[in-house]
Structure formats: C-alpha cells, structure tokens
Amino acid sequence: MKHIISVAVENKFGVLARVSGLFSARGFNIDSLAVGETEDPTISCMTIVVKGDDKILEQVKKQLNKLIDVISVKDFVNKEHIDRELLVFKIGVDKKTKPKALRTLKRFGANAIKASADTVMVEAVGDPSHILKMLEALKGFKVKEMVRTGRIAMAL
Amino acid sequence: MKHIISVAVENKFGVLARVSGLFSARGFNIDSLAVGETEDPTISCMTIVVKGDDKILEQVKKQLNKLIDVISVKDFVNKEHIDRELLVFKIGVDKKTKPKALRTLKRFGANAIKASADTVMVEAVGDPSHILKMLEALKGFKVKEMVRTGRIAMAL
C-alpha cells in the first residue's frame, strides 16, 4: 500500500541523509521525496511517498520518531487530505499538432511557459489522478524532458 | 552562492541516502530537495538547492559523478533555465479579511483549494521571486501551516 508520510524536522545538516537512510536500511524504495521550508523557517517538512510492508513501515515510523532532529511524523493513509505535485516538462510539437497540444494543456489547467516551433515547455499541478489523466491525454506527443517535485500533502 | 543541482539517478533503493549523505559529509546543508520520476520511469531526478563553498561543491559534483547509480549531474548556475516551486498553505481569515485574501491570491495566480469561515487553503506555483512577492503581499495574514516541494529546474 502506498503511504504519504510527512516528517517535520529541524532544519539541520545531515537530517535528510539520516531519514532517507532509515528507509533504505529497511529495504524501502522511496517513490518520491519533497523537502522544503515550512511556516517556521527553522523547521523543514519532508514529504515521502513510499510503498511496502505496512508492519515494517510502522517500525520505520517509530524509529523516525526517535531521531533527535525529528519533530513529528504524520501518515496520511486513511486521513482526509489533499496532495499535489508539480511537473515541468517539454513536449515535441509541429505546426499541425501545436494547437491541439495547447488546447489539451489548457483543459487541464496547465501553463505553457514557453513555446517554440517544435517544443512546448509546460508547468502543471494536480493530484495524482489529475496528472495521470493529463499525461494520458498528451500521449500522442513525445515527452522530451520531465522533472517532477514529488507529492506534498496537507490534512483537510 | 546558491546552486541548483539536478542529479539524474537510477531509480534504485538507497541512491537517495547516498547522494544526500555526500552533501552532509562535506558539511553542506541542503536548502531544498525534490525527487521525482522523469520521462523515463527507471530514472529519477533529484533537484538539490544548496549554498556553500564553490570549490568544495566542485568536489562534491565530481564524487556524485563517480557514484554507480548516478547518470548525470547538472549545475544550473550561469545557465539559462526556469525554476519553479509548489507551495500548499493555510492562512487565517475572517469575514472582513477573506475577500482581500482571495483577491491577493488571484493576483498571484494562486488557487484557493478550500475556503471556510476562518481558513483558506491555497496552492501556489512560481519562481522564487514570484513566491517571495506573494508571501510579502500576504504578510497581514497568519500562515497557519505550509508545505513546500522545493525547487525543480529545467534548461531553457
């Protein structure tokens, strides 16, 4: 089962490596990870999306709570929340296909940052289902390059 | 000097901890980190924002290139690029201040995900200067909770 785990940590040197090391030591692969500031600049929030054995994950969460620079650990499974991800990507277009690409992007609320004769650079935000539907709708276009932030989440 | 470094890695177990460990071993604190899939699902992209001694950073980049699961290392300093970050946050409002909050958000292209009588939950995307200006404009409101993805970048 996929879990979104949000770990609030002291914004200190080495915490990141310690937290991600805990997951890899237990054999968990991290699907995505986003680390940024919070409303308090001394505290960072690490949002981790991970899939694996639920019992082992419970142990990992307990160990996280014991790390000295960890302030809190939240698991959003079975909790009402929103999650969002940001993607920046380039798709290949030509004179004929460009209008269709731009229409499709607009339909999904995605923003064309820059468009040339053969490429459109896009920023898009959404929850996983929205992102999936958009990428499906763009299947006729070659994705030349893509960077994703990984998901962040917040309780409703 | 602040650097945005983008590291393409094989989507394998433990790479994340090894890469972030390299930075912390050299005394670098990571400002933000975003890890997500790329156009090739076997490859993840880690976007790291880091500040520190440029000479030591050169050494870190060389060491990164030697790691077995690292495919490429790009530094966006002095390169034409765009960078973007996603924020989700809640601000406190009341009957009187809510319309102003919603107007300010609209002006910065931010999206009110959910609004109640005393709280507005927001998603916002932009480059660092856009985000800074938006947070400045919202200074009269209490930020109750905030999660940020960290920046991702792409060459223009």
Side-chain angles (χ1 to χ4, degrees), chain B residues 49-92:
Chain B
V49 178
V50 80
K51 197 172 53 187
D53 186 279
D54 281 9
K55 268 192 194 158
I56 299 178
L57 191 60
E58 277 310 312
Q59 295 174 353
V60 173
K61 285 192 271 174
K62 273 183 199 156
Q63 288 183 304
L64 282 174
N65 268 314
K66 282 183 198 159
L67 286 183
I68 195 152
D69 294 319
V70 168
I71 296 158
S72 69
V73 180
K74 272 186 258 179
D75 188 338
F76 286 101
V77 149
N78 304 325
K79 267 187 204 131
E80 244 204 314
H81 68 275
I82 63 110
D83 63 311
R84 292 287 185 277
E85 186 178 14
L86 166 66
L87 283 73
V88 173
F89 57 95
K90 282 179 190 163
I91 50 173

mmCIF file of all heavy atoms in Angstrom, chain B residues 49-92:
data_model
loop_
_atom_site.group_PDB
_atom_site.id
_atom_site.type_symbol
_atom_site.label_atom_id
_atom_site.label_comp_id
_atom_site.label_asym_id
_atom_site.label_seq_id
_atom_site.Cartn_x
_atom_site.Cartn_y
_atom_site.Cartn_z
ATOM 1 N N VAL B 49 18.884 22.182 -3.953
ATOM 2 C CA VAL B 49 19.304 23.577 -3.828
ATOM 3 C C VAL B 49 20.236 23.662 -2.624
ATOM 4 O O VAL B 49 19.883 23.247 -1.515
ATOM 5 C CB VAL B 49 18.106 24.531 -3.662
ATOM 6 C CG1 VAL B 49 18.583 25.974 -3.494
ATOM 7 C CG2 VAL B 49 17.177 24.431 -4.854
ATOM 8 N N VAL B 50 21.438 24.166 -2.881
ATOM 9 C CA VAL B 50 22.465 24.105 -1.860
ATOM 10 C C VAL B 50 23.284 25.397 -1.892
ATOM 11 O O VAL B 50 23.419 26.033 -2.928
ATOM 12 C CB VAL B 50 23.317 22.830 -2.109
ATOM 13 C CG1 VAL B 50 24.337 23.026 -3.189
ATOM 14 C CG2 VAL B 50 23.933 22.301 -0.856
ATOM 15 N N LYS B 51 23.766 25.800 -0.737
ATOM 16 C CA LYS B 51 24.576 27.014 -0.665
ATOM 17 C C LYS B 51 25.863 26.626 0.036
ATOM 18 O O LYS B 51 25.843 25.872 0.995
ATOM 19 C CB LYS B 51 23.832 28.072 0.156
ATOM 20 C CG LYS B 51 24.351 29.468 -0.013
ATOM 21 C CD LYS B 51 23.438 30.470 0.675
ATOM 22 C CE LYS B 51 23.169 30.121 2.136
ATOM 23 N NZ LYS B 51 22.170 30.993 2.744
ATOM 24 N N GLY B 52 26.980 27.108 -0.450
ATOM 25 C CA GLY B 52 28.226 26.787 0.237
ATOM 26 C C GLY B 52 29.427 27.125 -0.616
ATOM 27 O O GLY B 52 29.300 27.741 -1.674
ATOM 28 N N ASP B 53 30.568 26.697 -0.165
ATOM 29 C CA ASP B 53 31.830 26.965 -0.835
ATOM 30 C C ASP B 53 31.854 26.331 -2.236
ATOM 31 O O ASP B 53 31.663 25.124 -2.393
ATOM 32 C CB ASP B 53 32.962 26.397 0.029
ATOM 33 C CG ASP B 53 34.309 26.753 -0.534
ATOM 34 O OD1 ASP B 53 34.762 26.067 -1.468
ATOM 35 O OD2 ASP B 53 34.891 27.732 -0.049
ATOM 36 N N ASP B 54 32.114 27.185 -3.250
ATOM 37 C CA ASP B 54 32.049 26.702 -4.633
ATOM 38 C C ASP B 54 33.104 25.641 -4.943
ATOM 39 O O ASP B 54 32.851 24.722 -5.720
ATOM 40 C CB ASP B 54 32.196 27.870 -5.611
ATOM 41 C CG ASP B 54 30.880 28.635 -5.759
ATOM 42 O OD1 ASP B 54 29.955 28.345 -4.986
ATOM 43 O OD2 ASP B 54 30.798 29.514 -6.630
ATOM 44 N N LYS B 55 34.281 25.760 -4.337
ATOM 45 C CA LYS B 55 35.346 24.777 -4.600
ATOM 46 C C LYS B 55 34.967 23.405 -4.070
ATOM 47 O O LYS B 55 35.152 22.391 -4.728
ATOM 48 C CB LYS B 55 36.650 25.231 -3.930
ATOM 49 C CG LYS B 55 37.513 26.068 -4.852
ATOM 50 C CD LYS B 55 38.900 26.230 -4.258
ATOM 51 C CE LYS B 55 39.648 27.330 -4.995
ATOM 52 N NZ LYS B 55 40.737 27.874 -4.172
ATOM 53 N N ILE B 56 34.444 23.397 -2.831
ATOM 54 C CA ILE B 56 34.040 22.112 -2.235
ATOM 55 C C ILE B 56 32.881 21.523 -3.032
ATOM 56 O O ILE B 56 32.816 20.320 -3.268
ATOM 57 C CB ILE B 56 33.669 22.274 -0.743
ATOM 58 C CG1 ILE B 56 34.893 22.799 0.032
ATOM 59 C CG2 ILE B 56 33.208 20.958 -0.145
ATOM 60 C CD1 ILE B 56 34.653 23.044 1.502
ATOM 61 N N LEU B 57 31.989 22.410 -3.505
ATOM 62 C CA LEU B 57 30.865 21.925 -4.301
ATOM 63 C C LEU B 57 31.363 21.233 -5.580
ATOM 64 O O LEU B 57 30.804 20.213 -5.994
ATOM 65 C CB LEU B 57 29.916 23.077 -4.640
ATOM 66 C CG LEU B 57 28.583 22.662 -5.239
ATOM 67 C CD1 LEU B 57 27.804 21.758 -4.294
ATOM 68 C CD2 LEU B 57 27.725 23.873 -5.586
ATOM 69 N N GLU B 58 32.411 21.779 -6.180
ATOM 70 C CA GLU B 58 33.003 21.130 -7.363
ATOM 71 C C GLU B 58 33.436 19.702 -7.042
ATOM 72 O O GLU B 58 33.228 18.782 -7.824
ATOM 73 C CB GLU B 58 34.217 21.935 -7.869
ATOM 74 C CG GLU B 58 33.871 23.114 -8.765
ATOM 75 C CD GLU B 58 32.928 22.758 -9.909
ATOM 76 O OE1 GLU B 58 33.183 21.753 -10.596
ATOM 77 O OE2 GLU B 58 31.913 23.458 -10.090
ATOM 78 N N GLN B 59 34.049 19.545 -5.864
ATOM 79 C CA GLN B 59 34.473 18.204 -5.444
ATOM 80 C C GLN B 59 33.276 17.281 -5.239
ATOM 81 O O GLN B 59 33.294 16.121 -5.645
ATOM 82 C CB GLN B 59 35.260 18.290 -4.130
ATOM 83 C CG GLN B 59 36.574 19.038 -4.264
ATOM 84 C CD GLN B 59 37.248 19.228 -2.901
ATOM 85 O OE1 GLN B 59 36.683 18.919 -1.859
ATOM 86 N NE2 GLN B 59 38.468 19.760 -2.924
ATOM 87 N N VAL B 60 32.216 17.842 -4.611
ATOM 88 C CA VAL B 60 31.018 17.025 -4.381
ATOM 89 C C VAL B 60 30.451 16.559 -5.724
ATOM 90 O O VAL B 60 30.079 15.394 -5.893
ATOM 91 C CB VAL B 60 29.948 17.800 -3.573
ATOM 92 C CG1 VAL B 60 28.650 17.012 -3.485
ATOM 93 C CG2 VAL B 60 30.457 18.113 -2.175
ATOM 94 N N LYS B 61 30.425 17.481 -6.698
ATOM 95 C CA LYS B 61 29.879 17.109 -8.015
ATOM 96 C C LYS B 61 30.712 15.997 -8.662
ATOM 97 O O LYS B 61 30.171 15.076 -9.265
ATOM 98 C CB LYS B 61 29.802 18.340 -8.929
ATOM 99 C CG LYS B 61 28.656 19.274 -8.559
ATOM 100 C CD LYS B 61 28.410 20.318 -9.627
ATOM 101 C CE LYS B 61 29.251 21.545 -9.389
ATOM 102 N NZ LYS B 61 29.156 22.531 -10.473
ATOM 103 N N LYS B 62 32.027 16.084 -8.508
ATOM 104 C CA LYS B 62 32.893 15.025 -9.051
ATOM 105 C C LYS B 62 32.607 13.690 -8.374
ATOM 106 O O LYS B 62 32.526 12.652 -9.025
ATOM 107 C CB LYS B 62 34.367 15.401 -8.864
ATOM 108 C CG LYS B 62 34.882 16.245 -10.021
ATOM 109 C CD LYS B 62 36.365 16.545 -9.861
ATOM 110 C CE LYS B 62 36.721 17.736 -10.736
ATOM 111 N NZ LYS B 62 37.909 18.441 -10.247
ATOM 112 N N GLN B 63 32.442 13.735 -7.040
ATOM 113 C CA GLN B 63 32.142 12.499 -6.311
ATOM 114 C C GLN B 63 30.784 11.926 -6.701
ATOM 115 O O GLN B 63 30.626 10.717 -6.810
ATOM 116 C CB GLN B 63 32.173 12.772 -4.813
ATOM 117 C CG GLN B 63 33.583 12.992 -4.290
ATOM 118 C CD GLN B 63 33.567 13.179 -2.789
ATOM 119 O OE1 GLN B 63 32.881 14.057 -2.282
ATOM 120 N NE2 GLN B 63 34.325 12.367 -2.079
ATOM 121 N N LEU B 64 29.821 12.823 -6.916
ATOM 122 C CA LEU B 64 28.488 12.371 -7.343
ATOM 123 C C LEU B 64 28.613 11.607 -8.657
ATOM 124 O O LEU B 64 28.044 10.529 -8.828
ATOM 125 C CB LEU B 64 27.553 13.565 -7.559
ATOM 126 C CG LEU B 64 26.951 14.216 -6.322
ATOM 127 C CD1 LEU B 64 26.186 15.468 -6.708
ATOM 128 C CD2 LEU B 64 26.024 13.239 -5.605
ATOM 129 N N ASN B 65 29.380 12.176 -9.584
ATOM 130 C CA ASN B 65 29.557 11.550 -10.895
ATOM 131 C C ASN B 65 30.175 10.156 -10.796
ATOM 132 O O ASN B 65 29.996 9.344 -11.692
ATOM 133 C CB ASN B 65 30.424 12.441 -11.788
ATOM 134 C CG ASN B 65 29.572 13.382 -12.627
ATOM 135 O OD1 ASN B 65 28.584 12.966 -13.225
ATOM 136 N ND2 ASN B 65 29.938 14.662 -12.657
ATOM 137 N N LYS B 66 30.887 9.920 -9.705
ATOM 138 C CA LYS B 66 31.521 8.601 -9.542
ATOM 139 C C LYS B 66 30.580 7.562 -8.936
ATOM 140 O O LYS B 66 30.862 6.375 -8.979
ATOM 141 C CB LYS B 66 32.756 8.739 -8.649
ATOM 142 C CG LYS B 66 33.961 9.306 -9.397
ATOM 143 C CD LYS B 66 35.160 9.339 -8.469
ATOM 144 C CE LYS B 66 36.221 10.287 -9.010
ATOM 145 N NZ LYS B 66 37.130 10.727 -7.946
ATOM 146 N N LEU B 67 29.484 8.019 -8.317
ATOM 147 C CA LEU B 67 28.549 7.063 -7.701
ATOM 148 C C LEU B 67 27.935 6.185 -8.790
ATOM 149 O O LEU B 67 27.555 6.670 -9.859
ATOM 150 C CB LEU B 67 27.427 7.786 -6.949
ATOM 151 C CG LEU B 67 27.761 8.448 -5.612
ATOM 152 C CD1 LEU B 67 26.496 9.031 -4.994
ATOM 153 C CD2 LEU B 67 28.388 7.450 -4.640
ATOM 154 N N ILE B 68 27.819 4.910 -8.480
ATOM 155 C CA ILE B 68 27.435 3.937 -9.507
ATOM 156 C C ILE B 68 26.046 4.194 -10.099
ATOM 157 O O ILE B 68 25.845 4.003 -11.292
ATOM 158 C CB ILE B 68 27.600 2.499 -8.968
ATOM 159 C CG1 ILE B 68 27.555 1.491 -10.123
ATOM 160 C CG2 ILE B 68 26.556 2.163 -7.914
ATOM 161 C CD1 ILE B 68 28.349 0.249 -9.823
ATOM 162 N N ASP B 69 25.084 4.672 -9.303
ATOM 163 C CA ASP B 69 23.732 4.851 -9.836
ATOM 164 C C ASP B 69 23.435 6.268 -10.321
ATOM 165 O O ASP B 69 22.302 6.584 -10.674
ATOM 166 C CB ASP B 69 22.698 4.425 -8.792
ATOM 167 C CG ASP B 69 22.781 2.929 -8.526
ATOM 168 O OD1 ASP B 69 22.946 2.171 -9.496
ATOM 169 O OD2 ASP B 69 22.679 2.520 -7.355
ATOM 170 N N VAL B 70 24.453 7.106 -10.337
ATOM 171 C CA VAL B 70 24.270 8.472 -10.836
ATOM 172 C C VAL B 70 24.524 8.523 -12.340
ATOM 173 O O VAL B 70 25.564 8.063 -12.817
ATOM 174 C CB VAL B 70 25.200 9.460 -10.097
ATOM 175 C CG1 VAL B 70 25.231 10.813 -10.795
ATOM 176 C CG2 VAL B 70 24.748 9.623 -8.647
ATOM 177 N N ILE B 71 23.565 9.030 -13.084
ATOM 178 C CA ILE B 71 23.681 9.069 -14.547
ATOM 179 C C ILE B 71 24.269 10.398 -15.017
ATOM 180 O O ILE B 71 25.111 10.434 -15.897
ATOM 181 C CB ILE B 71 22.290 8.835 -15.178
ATOM 182 C CG1 ILE B 71 21.811 7.421 -14.817
ATOM 183 C CG2 ILE B 71 22.330 9.000 -16.697
ATOM 184 C CD1 ILE B 71 20.335 7.239 -14.888
ATOM 185 N N SER B 72 23.799 11.495 -14.437
ATOM 186 C CA SER B 72 24.347 12.795 -14.835
ATOM 187 C C SER B 72 24.169 13.806 -13.716
ATOM 188 O O SER B 72 23.285 13.665 -12.860
ATOM 189 C CB SER B 72 23.664 13.296 -16.109
ATOM 190 O OG SER B 72 22.324 13.628 -15.825
ATOM 191 N N VAL B 73 24.990 14.829 -13.715
ATOM 192 C CA VAL B 73 24.929 15.907 -12.729
ATOM 193 C C VAL B 73 24.955 17.232 -13.484
ATOM 194 O O VAL B 73 25.860 17.484 -14.271
ATOM 195 C CB VAL B 73 26.153 15.846 -11.776
ATOM 196 C CG1 VAL B 73 26.082 16.967 -10.745
ATOM 197 C CG2 VAL B 73 26.247 14.493 -11.090
ATOM 198 N N LYS B 74 23.916 18.053 -13.279
ATOM 199 C CA LYS B 74 23.877 19.370 -13.931
ATOM 200 C C LYS B 74 23.834 20.449 -12.866
ATOM 201 O O LYS B 74 23.103 20.325 -11.885
ATOM 202 C CB LYS B 74 22.577 19.514 -14.751
ATOM 203 C CG LYS B 74 22.655 19.015 -16.179
ATOM 204 C CD LYS B 74 21.342 19.349 -16.899
ATOM 205 C CE LYS B 74 20.460 18.133 -17.000
ATOM 206 N NZ LYS B 74 19.170 18.357 -17.647
ATOM 207 N N ASP B 75 24.584 21.521 -13.070
ATOM 208 C CA ASP B 75 24.513 22.680 -12.179
ATOM 209 C C ASP B 75 23.933 23.825 -13.014
ATOM 210 O O ASP B 75 24.458 24.146 -14.079
ATOM 211 C CB ASP B 75 25.929 23.015 -11.686
ATOM 212 C CG ASP B 75 25.926 24.092 -10.604
ATOM 213 O OD1 ASP B 75 24.956 24.861 -10.528
ATOM 214 O OD2 ASP B 75 26.905 24.156 -9.849
ATOM 215 N N PHE B 76 22.842 24.422 -12.554
ATOM 216 C CA PHE B 76 22.170 25.442 -13.367
ATOM 217 C C PHE B 76 22.756 26.843 -13.185
ATOM 218 O O PHE B 76 22.281 27.784 -13.816
ATOM 219 C CB PHE B 76 20.667 25.446 -13.077
ATOM 220 C CG PHE B 76 19.951 24.265 -13.675
ATOM 221 C CD1 PHE B 76 19.608 23.177 -12.894
ATOM 222 C CD2 PHE B 76 19.648 24.231 -15.027
ATOM 223 C CE1 PHE B 76 18.959 22.075 -13.441
ATOM 224 C CE2 PHE B 76 19.002 23.144 -15.583
ATOM 225 C CZ PHE B 76 18.660 22.058 -14.789
ATOM 226 N N VAL B 77 23.753 26.972 -12.322
ATOM 227 C CA VAL B 77 24.367 28.288 -12.146
ATOM 228 C C VAL B 77 24.938 28.753 -13.490
ATOM 229 O O VAL B 77 25.575 27.981 -14.205
ATOM 230 C CB VAL B 77 25.460 28.239 -11.049
ATOM 231 C CG1 VAL B 77 26.582 29.224 -11.321
ATOM 232 C CG2 VAL B 77 24.832 28.568 -9.698
ATOM 233 N N ASN B 78 24.677 30.012 -13.833
ATOM 234 C CA ASN B 78 25.130 30.595 -15.111
ATOM 235 C C ASN B 78 24.557 29.906 -16.346
ATOM 236 O O ASN B 78 25.125 30.022 -17.430
ATOM 237 C CB ASN B 78 26.663 30.626 -15.217
ATOM 238 C CG ASN B 78 27.287 31.360 -14.057
ATOM 239 O OD1 ASN B 78 26.709 32.331 -13.571
ATOM 240 N ND2 ASN B 78 28.438 30.897 -13.592
ATOM 241 N N LYS B 79 23.480 29.154 -16.170
ATOM 242 C CA LYS B 79 22.821 28.554 -17.335
ATOM 243 C C LYS B 79 21.406 29.099 -17.416
ATOM 244 O O LYS B 79 20.726 29.221 -16.393
ATOM 245 C CB LYS B 79 22.763 27.031 -17.174
ATOM 246 C CG LYS B 79 23.958 26.375 -17.815
ATOM 247 C CD LYS B 79 23.827 24.875 -17.810
ATOM 248 C CE LYS B 79 25.203 24.273 -17.896
ATOM 249 N NZ LYS B 79 25.436 23.247 -16.902
ATOM 250 N N GLU B 80 20.962 29.404 -18.610
ATOM 251 C CA GLU B 80 19.591 29.885 -18.780
ATOM 252 C C GLU B 80 18.632 28.751 -18.401
ATOM 253 O O GLU B 80 18.687 27.668 -18.993
ATOM 254 C CB GLU B 80 19.371 30.292 -20.234
ATOM 255 C CG GLU B 80 19.071 31.782 -20.401
ATOM 256 C CD GLU B 80 18.322 32.012 -21.682
ATOM 257 O OE1 GLU B 80 18.743 31.444 -22.709
ATOM 258 O OE2 GLU B 80 17.303 32.728 -21.657
ATOM 259 N N HIS B 81 17.778 29.011 -17.445
ATOM 260 C CA HIS B 81 16.868 27.957 -17.007
ATOM 261 C C HIS B 81 15.625 28.578 -16.380
ATOM 262 O O HIS B 81 15.597 29.766 -16.079
ATOM 263 C CB HIS B 81 17.565 27.058 -15.986
ATOM 264 C CG HIS B 81 17.851 27.744 -14.684
ATOM 265 N ND1 HIS B 81 18.979 28.505 -14.465
ATOM 266 C CD2 HIS B 81 17.140 27.813 -13.528
ATOM 267 C CE1 HIS B 81 18.961 29.005 -13.242
ATOM 268 N NE2 HIS B 81 17.849 28.608 -12.642
ATOM 269 N N ILE B 82 14.613 27.768 -16.199
ATOM 270 C CA ILE B 82 13.483 28.200 -15.382
ATOM 271 C C ILE B 82 13.519 27.366 -14.108
ATOM 272 O O ILE B 82 13.993 26.234 -14.111
ATOM 273 C CB ILE B 82 12.119 28.018 -16.085
ATOM 274 C CG1 ILE B 82 11.847 26.524 -16.365
ATOM 275 C CG2 ILE B 82 12.008 28.804 -17.366
ATOM 276 C CD1 ILE B 82 10.745 25.991 -15.512
ATOM 277 N N ASP B 83 13.056 27.941 -12.996
ATOM 278 C CA ASP B 83 12.830 27.084 -11.848
ATOM 279 C C ASP B 83 11.502 27.437 -11.189
ATOM 280 O O ASP B 83 11.047 28.579 -11.236
ATOM 281 C CB ASP B 83 13.996 27.063 -10.859
ATOM 282 C CG ASP B 83 14.283 28.395 -10.227
ATOM 283 O OD1 ASP B 83 14.372 29.391 -10.978
ATOM 284 O OD2 ASP B 83 14.409 28.445 -9.005
ATOM 285 N N ARG B 84 10.914 26.425 -10.632
ATOM 286 C CA ARG B 84 9.566 26.552 -10.088
ATOM 287 C C ARG B 84 9.459 25.788 -8.789
ATOM 288 O O ARG B 84 10.123 24.779 -8.597
ATOM 289 C CB ARG B 84 8.548 25.921 -11.060
ATOM 290 C CG ARG B 84 8.363 26.646 -12.368
ATOM 291 C CD ARG B 84 7.595 27.939 -12.169
ATOM 292 N NE ARG B 84 7.306 28.596 -13.420
ATOM 293 C CZ ARG B 84 8.149 29.388 -14.073
ATOM 294 N NH1 ARG B 84 9.362 29.596 -13.609
ATOM 295 N NH2 ARG B 84 7.786 29.970 -15.201
ATOM 296 N N GLU B 85 8.576 26.285 -7.922
ATOM 297 C CA GLU B 85 8.297 25.579 -6.685
ATOM 298 C C GLU B 85 6.796 25.585 -6.443
ATOM 299 O O GLU B 85 6.099 26.517 -6.849
ATOM 300 C CB GLU B 85 9.020 26.252 -5.507
ATOM 301 C CG GLU B 85 8.886 25.479 -4.216
ATOM 302 C CD GLU B 85 9.631 26.104 -3.040
ATOM 303 O OE1 GLU B 85 10.040 27.273 -3.140
ATOM 304 O OE2 GLU B 85 9.761 25.430 -2.008
ATOM 305 N N LEU B 86 6.310 24.543 -5.784
ATOM 306 C CA LEU B 86 4.897 24.449 -5.417
ATOM 307 C C LEU B 86 4.761 24.583 -3.908
ATOM 308 O O LEU B 86 5.516 23.970 -3.157
ATOM 309 C CB LEU B 86 4.352 23.088 -5.874
ATOM 310 C CG LEU B 86 2.999 22.639 -5.321
ATOM 311 C CD1 LEU B 86 1.871 23.534 -5.824
ATOM 312 C CD2 LEU B 86 2.722 21.183 -5.720
ATOM 313 N N LEU B 87 3.806 25.395 -3.482
ATOM 314 C CA LEU B 87 3.521 25.567 -2.051
ATOM 315 C C LEU B 87 2.059 25.237 -1.794
ATOM 316 O O LEU B 87 1.188 25.614 -2.596
ATOM 317 C CB LEU B 87 3.688 27.025 -1.617
ATOM 318 C CG LEU B 87 5.068 27.617 -1.407
ATOM 319 C CD1 LEU B 87 5.757 27.842 -2.729
ATOM 320 C CD2 LEU B 87 4.957 28.951 -0.668
ATOM 321 N N VAL B 88 1.794 24.562 -0.704
ATOM 322 C CA VAL B 88 0.423 24.427 -0.218
ATOM 323 C C VAL B 88 0.415 25.018 1.183
ATOM 324 O O VAL B 88 1.285 24.698 1.988
ATOM 325 C CB VAL B 88 -0.032 22.948 -0.206
ATOM 326 C CG1 VAL B 88 -1.399 22.815 0.461
ATOM 327 C CG2 VAL B 88 -0.088 22.374 -1.621
ATOM 328 N N PHE B 89 -0.512 25.940 1.432
ATOM 329 C CA PHE B 89 -0.541 26.542 2.766
ATOM 330 C C PHE B 89 -1.948 26.957 3.162
ATOM 331 O O PHE B 89 -2.845 27.068 2.336
ATOM 332 C CB PHE B 89 0.436 27.722 2.880
ATOM 333 C CG PHE B 89 0.219 28.823 1.869
ATOM 334 C CD1 PHE B 89 -0.551 29.938 2.182
ATOM 335 C CD2 PHE B 89 0.807 28.754 0.620
ATOM 336 C CE1 PHE B 89 -0.735 30.963 1.272
ATOM 337 C CE2 PHE B 89 0.621 29.779 -0.315
ATOM 338 C CZ PHE B 89 -0.151 30.879 0.008
ATOM 339 N N LYS B 90 -2.103 27.165 4.475
ATOM 340 C CA LYS B 90 -3.383 27.634 5.032
ATOM 341 C C LYS B 90 -3.165 28.995 5.665
ATOM 342 O O LYS B 90 -2.225 29.156 6.442
ATOM 343 C CB LYS B 90 -3.859 26.684 6.140
ATOM 344 C CG LYS B 90 -4.490 25.405 5.659
ATOM 345 C CD LYS B 90 -4.885 24.555 6.862
ATOM 346 C CE LYS B 90 -5.286 23.160 6.429
ATOM 347 N NZ LYS B 90 -5.273 22.205 7.551
ATOM 348 N N ILE B 91 -4.037 29.953 5.332
ATOM 349 C CA ILE B 91 -3.946 31.232 6.033
ATOM 350 C C ILE B 91 -5.240 31.473 6.813
ATOM 351 O O ILE B 91 -6.313 31.023 6.420
ATOM 352 C CB ILE B 91 -3.685 32.430 5.081
ATOM 353 C CG1 ILE B 91 -4.669 32.438 3.908
ATOM 354 C CG2 ILE B 91 -2.245 32.437 4.572
ATOM 355 C CD1 ILE B 91 -4.549 33.686 3.050
ATOM 356 N N GLY B 92 -5.084 32.184 7.895
ATOM 357 C CA GLY B 92 -6.234 32.525 8.730
ATOM 358 C C GLY B 92 -6.930 33.768 8.183
ATOM 359 O O GLY B 92 -6.274 34.734 7.802
#
